[in-house]
Amino acid sequence: MSYRLRPLYNLGGYLSATCLVLICTLITAQIVGRLIDLLTTALGVGRIGLAIPGLAEMSGFLLVGATFLGLAYTFIHGAHIRVTLVIGRLPARYRVFVEVACLSLALALCLYLAFYLYRLLADSIAFGETSYGLLSIPLWLPQSAMLAGIGLFCLALGEAWWQTLATALRRPGDFIIDDANQE
């Protein structure tokens, strides 16, 4: 399946990977800080106190970004888990219609989630909500990443739905699941 918005989905994947790299960097810095503290204590100097305040909170928010921003990227590369025990045994002319139904349900659920994430984001901005941890991080930041990721996923599902529907209506017997969307 060819996706016209593939560069946009790839951008989501790159942003997701950036979030993961930031998590690794922060945790590595925390570990190095603890090792330095251990070393200075062993040398009799005492603890320097090299710690990153709110590391768990920052890592959690970055994980949210990594998860949601990577949804479209993993979908177009066929990396989402699918159960095709039944659909894989159907003839192509029936399988394409079941695929359209599955994509329709997935798209409807994602649009529903996007709508309520938007409302949650709007409320967080309106009320100036911040996290409860050591750092007072505005909640609209991780919620924006969630909404952007779900938005990209909705676009990818919409593209796949449209192309699959076109195949179902024009030539249902030619439907195959290509390598990019292989289970």
Side-chain angles (χ1 to χ4, degrees):
M1 191 172 296
S2 63
Y3 292 93
R4 292 188 175 142
L5 298 176
R6 185 178 291 270
L8 193 58
Y9 308 142
N10 287 342
L11 175 64
Y14 296 142
L15 291 173
S16 176
T18 301
C19 289
L20 291 174
V21 168
L22 285 171
I23 292 170
C24 289
T25 303
L26 288 170
I27 290 174
T28 302
Q30 179 81 347
I31 290 169
V32 168
R34 287 181 181 178
L35 289 174
I36 291 172
D37 273 351
L38 212 100
L39 182 65
T40 56
T41 303
L43 294 174
V45 178
R47 291 190 65 215
I48 298 173
L50 297 175
I52 300 173
L55 175 69
E57 189 175 12
M58 285 187 289
S59 295
F61 289 149
L62 286 169
L63 185 60
V64 165
T67 301
F68 281 85
L69 290 170
L71 285 173
Y73 179 84
T74 54
F75 176 73
I76 67 166
H77 287 38
H80 283 201
I81 297 172
R82 294 183 51 171
V83 179
T84 58
L85 187 62
V86 175
I87 192 174
R89 303 207 188 289
L90 293 174
R93 74 182 58 173
Y94 301 120
R95 183 175 39 221
V96 69
F97 289 104
V98 174
E99 188 74 22
V100 167
C102 291
L103 287 169
S104 299
L105 179 63
L107 183 57
L109 290 172
C110 282
L111 287 170
Y112 180 79
L113 179 60
F115 174 73
Y116 280 100
L117 280 176
Y118 173 76
R119 290 184 59 184
L120 179 68
L121 176 65
D123 284 348
S124 293
I125 291 171
F127 295 113
E129 292 178 333
T130 58
S131 61
Y132 293 109
L134 188 58
L135 301 176
S136 184
I137 297 173
L139 288 179
W140 66 266
L141 290 169
Q143 290 170 354
S144 296
M146 289 171 65
L147 184 59
I150 285 294
L152 286 174
F153 191 37
C154 285
L155 283 174
L157 283 169
E159 267 194 276
W161 178 84
W162 184 255
Q163 290 179 25
T164 306
L165 181 64
T167 302
L169 296 177
R170 291 187 190 136
R171 48 190 197 289
D174 294 344
F175 180 71
I176 58 168
I177 298 176
D178 60 359
D179 292 338
N181 287 326
Q182 198 68 29
E183 295 72 50

